[in-house]
Amino acid sequence: MFRSLRRALCAVAAALLLPLAGVHTAHAADAAGAGYWHTGGRQILDAAGQPVRIAGINWFGFETGNHVVHGLWSRDYKSMIDQMKSLGYNTIRLPYSDDIFKSSTVPNSIDFSSGKNADLQGLGSLQIMDKLVAYAGQDGLKVILDRHRPDAGGQSALWYTSAVPESTWIADLKALAARYKGQDTVVGIDLHNEPHDPACWGCGDTATDWRLAAQRAGNAVLSVNPDLLIFVEGVQTYNGVSGWWGGNLMGVAQYPVQLDVAGRVVYSAHDYATSVAQQPWFSDPSFPDNMPGVWDKYWGYIFKQNIAPVWVGEFGTTLASTVDQKWLAALVSYLRPTSTYGADSFHWTFWSWNPNSGDTGGILKDDWTTVDSVKDGYLASVKAPLFPGTGGGSGGGGGGSTASCSAAYTVTSDWGSGFNADVKVTNSGSTAISSWKVTWAWSGSQQVTSMWNASYTQSGATVTAANASHNGAIAAGGSASFGFGGAPGGAGVPSVSCTAA
């Protein structure tokens, strides 16, 4: 997505009640995610046949005039990937444009001062992408490459333009498949971002039928690397019913994508809130209870009928309105909590890591460092374990050192009757830690009302917060964060202590 010219679209027909078909039981082992992945019914399975869940984040920039991920003007890329890991995101979706394949393209807006991004100096866009992929893999994150737009100038309705024909699109997709062959950090490619009118699904016109184009491109990718997953987004309109760009997968029921290699198709939908555009379902008197039926109709049925896995490749909001808050809470619930369903769930990558997405904002605030703990907190129930790393990354030092940590407590908002706070846990030792606990005592009657990215116990004024499963491991010098809500407000900042193991 790039935030521009979104249109309110046609109303949704009545919600469909769709049965659940038989599926694999999800009992993923700790090491789930190793190797290349394939599909089985509605699940994505690793090389050993264990179900995995994509629970990730979009980090955009390669598709823009910077020709590289954004934020490198503020921070080192490794520190941001480490922070993604610490927050429990296990996959990065990297949008790009075909401009990055041009020899004349030079990445810009990278800060090299004080040692930041030192190993990126003098590199081209694709070489920088190599570095990001390698480091993400070391940290235990997977990467999905997203052909977001033909060139940095803007998004396109179809997968080709007069300047970037289909032949160039396919050649560049094959080049990426070949570039990362054997590097199973890159698990797949999202063929084209948000096809929309006049793109159709199943109409049979080779110039506009996105489903046929996806088959051509998907088979081309698999001819180079048959191990990759092929992520296929929806369109805007099918049989006169319109929805979000890329979000309408109604045509899959009659016209599924058929590739030469079985078990490679993952369907991808995008879904947004009112901060992007109004849709008729937001003003339905039954909102937000109507939303599961909307999602069932457009894309959820594919999962519920065991046709194929479904990945919500983009969803986001500023959370500025009550409608958007209710929408995000309803969508997260629809995606299925990991604690209840494990990897037998919808997959997702939130839009976006970047704070400079104009009509959604990001997980990071404008300083490119502070986490929007409220927004991140909405996603806590659908986060999922990291994957086996390739070694290195932010790994700690040698053994024999005492595990230690420190914690910094910050009140992010206080409205009198309640407040929100963030706590940053830093590994202050010289060796990696596997778990941590933070303790503090308030001087007043405050009580924790909710907590994300940690679990807690409270006895009187004393609170002890322990890491979640996804953020207990912190490399030497690294950090993790959690947040919470409490009441009443006016508590001030207590002294905190941290213990590590």
Side-chain angles (χ1 to χ4, degrees), residues 320-335:
S321 72
T322 301
V323 169
D324 286 27
Q325 295 161 14
K326 290 180 178 179
W327 164 85
L328 184 55
L331 180 56
V332 167
S333 176
Y334 184 83
L335 295 178

Side-chain angles (χ1 to χ4, degrees), residues 33 132 165 221 260 266 294 302 305 327 334 344 396 401 437 449:
L132 268 63
V221 167
D260 295 338
V266 178
V294 172
I302 298 171
Q305 294 183 1
W327 164 85
Y334 184 83
D344 183 28
S401 300
K437 288 185 179 180
T449 55

Side-chain angles (χ1 to χ4, degrees), residues 148-278:
H148 208 75
R149 35 170 67 173
D151 56 58
Q155 204 157 308
S156 62
L158 300 172
W159 53 97
Y160 62 91
T161 64
S162 58
V164 185
E166 178 174 309
S167 58
T168 299
W169 171 57
I170 289 180
D172 290 344
L173 288 170
K174 290 175 69 176
L176 283 177
R179 188 178 192 93
Y180 296 112
K181 186 174 183 179
Q183 298 183 54
D184 57 30
T185 296
V186 176
V187 291
I189 301 179
D190 187 345
L191 297 177
H192 178 61
N193 187 68
E194 296 186 350
H196 54 278
D197 296 347
C200 61
W201 190 291
C203 66
D205 181 351
T206 56
T208 57
D209 192 330
W210 165 236
R211 176 251 189 177
L212 295 179
Q215 291 182 164
R216 294 192 296 273
N219 284 328
V221 167
L222 295 172
S223 72
V224 175
N225 185 353
D227 293 316
L228 291 175
L229 293 175
I230 304 299
F231 295 91
V232 182
E233 299 187 28
V235 291
Q236 176 184 353
T237 304
Y238 179 77
N239 280 353
V241 179
S242 294
W244 293 110
W245 291 359
N248 190 333
L249 286 160
M250 294 169 62
V252 170
Q254 185 173 358
Y255 302 104
V257 171
Q258 298 175 319
L259 299 177
D260 295 338
V261 182
R264 295 294 180 270
V265 177
V266 178
Y267 293 103
S268 176
H270 292 185
D271 201 89
Y272 280 97
T274 62
S275 63
V276 173
Q278 281 289 341

Side-chain angles (χ1 to χ4, degrees), residues 46 90 93 104 111 129 165 281 317 326 339 363 383 446 465:
D46 69 8
N90 65 21
R93 180 176 181 253
S104 59
D111 182 6
M129 184 179 284
W281 43 84
T317 167
K326 290 180 178 179
S339 62
I363 291 298
K383 290 180 181 177
Q446 283 72 27

Side-chain angles (χ1 to χ4, degrees), residues 11-23:
V12 181
L16 300 179
L17 297 176
L18 300 170
L20 286 175
V23 297

